[in-house]
């Protein structure tokens, strides 16, 4: 009986191409597929599409007070950077945000450590988060101005408040999600409570910790901009929010969008460089999440 053509072709390949010692090479991807494998290139392409859509829509609408063109926004951005106004405002905002963020992070770590090691701490954290997490931080700004005066203290208070509670909830949930086997392995050497949290629970809960850091960073950033829009001049001449407020009053709408663009760029930079690097050095390297 005649053998099929497929069998003959396979025998030919095995005889002529797959000789002993031959190493199969992976198929080479087309150039466009090799380029699109990089996350940064794909995201840049999405941003380019969004920018093009914005420019076309603004030109079609032809109303610079409503939607200025992207080219006019970029020109305003370059001008504000060149005269030094926007970099100074951006520095004010970032310094204020980092200080408030640090206060919130330290407070969250202290509360969650107390909560995971004592019954009283757990009850305290549950009660406080139920009370204060739903409370918008910007709603506390009038009280903060009364308590801390017309200085940086009021800004730090509202930013720390917005950072503390979402981070504490994420970290505490991460601690509670650690497997019982790992918990027992950590208790066996007789570690003290703080060492037990720092050396066992914290590394094991790192995905939840990083997620909480991301969420709390976004909350703190939005709260700071909102607070500056309301009363940003108390912070050494104001930050980006106060820059946007001033330009809106002067009807310099391209400058308003330039300030918003700076906020977006800072968010992309923090996400792309800070948190992504933190993830690559921890949870990705440890095999805790897929890359």
């Amino acid at each position: 009986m005649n053998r099929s053509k497929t069998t003959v072709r396979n025998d030919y390949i095995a005889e002529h191409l797959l000789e002993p010692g031959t190493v199969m090479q992976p198929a080479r991807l087309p150039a466009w597929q090799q380029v699109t494998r990089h996350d940064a290139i794909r995201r840049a392409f999405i941003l380019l599409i969004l920018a093009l859509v914005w420019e076309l829509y603004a030109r079609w609408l032809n109303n610079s007070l409503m939607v200025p063109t992207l080219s006019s926004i970029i020109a305003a951005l370059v001008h504000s950077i060149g005269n030094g106004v926007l970099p100074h405002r951006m520095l004010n905002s970032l310094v204020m945000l980092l200080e408030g963020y640090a206060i919130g992070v330290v407070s969250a770590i202290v509360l969650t450590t107390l909560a995971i090691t004592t019954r009283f701490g757990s009850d305290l954290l549950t009660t406080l988060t139920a009370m204060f997490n739903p409370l918008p931080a910007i709603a506390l700004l009038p009280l903060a101005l009364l308590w801390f005066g017309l200085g940086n203290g009021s800004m730090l208070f509202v930013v720390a408040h917005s950072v503390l509670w979402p981070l504490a909830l994420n970290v505490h949930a991460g601690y509670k999600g650690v497997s019982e086997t790992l918990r027992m392995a950590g208790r066996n050497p007789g570690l003290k409570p703080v060492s037990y949290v720092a050396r066992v629970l914290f590394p094991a809960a790192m995905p939840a910790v990083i997620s909480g850091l991301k969420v709390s960073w976004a909350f703190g950033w939005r709260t700071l901009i909102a607070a500056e829009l309301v009363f940003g001049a108390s912070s050494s001449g104001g930050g980006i929010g106060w820059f946007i407020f001033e330009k809106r009053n002067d009807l310099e709408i391209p400058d308003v969008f330039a300030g918003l663009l700076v906020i977006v760029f800072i968010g992309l930079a923090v996400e792309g460089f800070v948190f992504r690097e933190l993830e690559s050095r921890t949870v990705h390297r440890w095999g805790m999440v897929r890359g």
Side-chain angles (χ1 to χ4, degrees), residues 90-99 217 221 224 266:
M90 182 175 64
L91 181 61
N92 286 340
S93 292
L94 287 177
V95 170
M96 186 67 56
L97 176 62
L98 290 175
E99 291 178 355
W217 168 268
W221 191 218
L224 177 64
I266 292 175

Side-chain angles (χ1 to χ4, degrees), residues 43-62:
R43 293 178 183 180
F45 181 69
I46 293 174
L47 292 176
L48 182 62
I49 292 177
L50 293 176
L52 180 61
V53 170
W54 180 284
E55 182 72 15
L56 293 176
Y57 177 73
R59 291 183 181 276
W60 174 80
L61 187 63
N62 195 25

Side-chain angles (χ1 to χ4, degrees), residues 193-262:
V194 175
S195 299
Y196 169 67
V197 172
R199 300 175 61 179
V200 178
L201 294 184
F202 190 81
M206 188 58 70
V209 172
I210 295 179
S211 177
L213 290 172
K214 288 182 179 180
V215 173
S216 59
W217 168 268
F219 276 40
W221 191 218
R222 287 183 294 182
T223 298
L224 177 64
I225 297 302
E228 288 177 345
L229 283 167
V230 175
F231 203 79
S234 65
S235 175
S236 303
I240 299 178
W242 191 249
F243 173 85
I244 294 172
F245 181 81
E246 288 179 319
K247 297 302 180 182
R248 189 209 64 175
N249 288 342
D250 296 336
L251 293 181
E252 298 177 5
I253 306 304
D255 290 273
V256 172
F257 280 95
L260 295 174
L261 201 60
V262 169

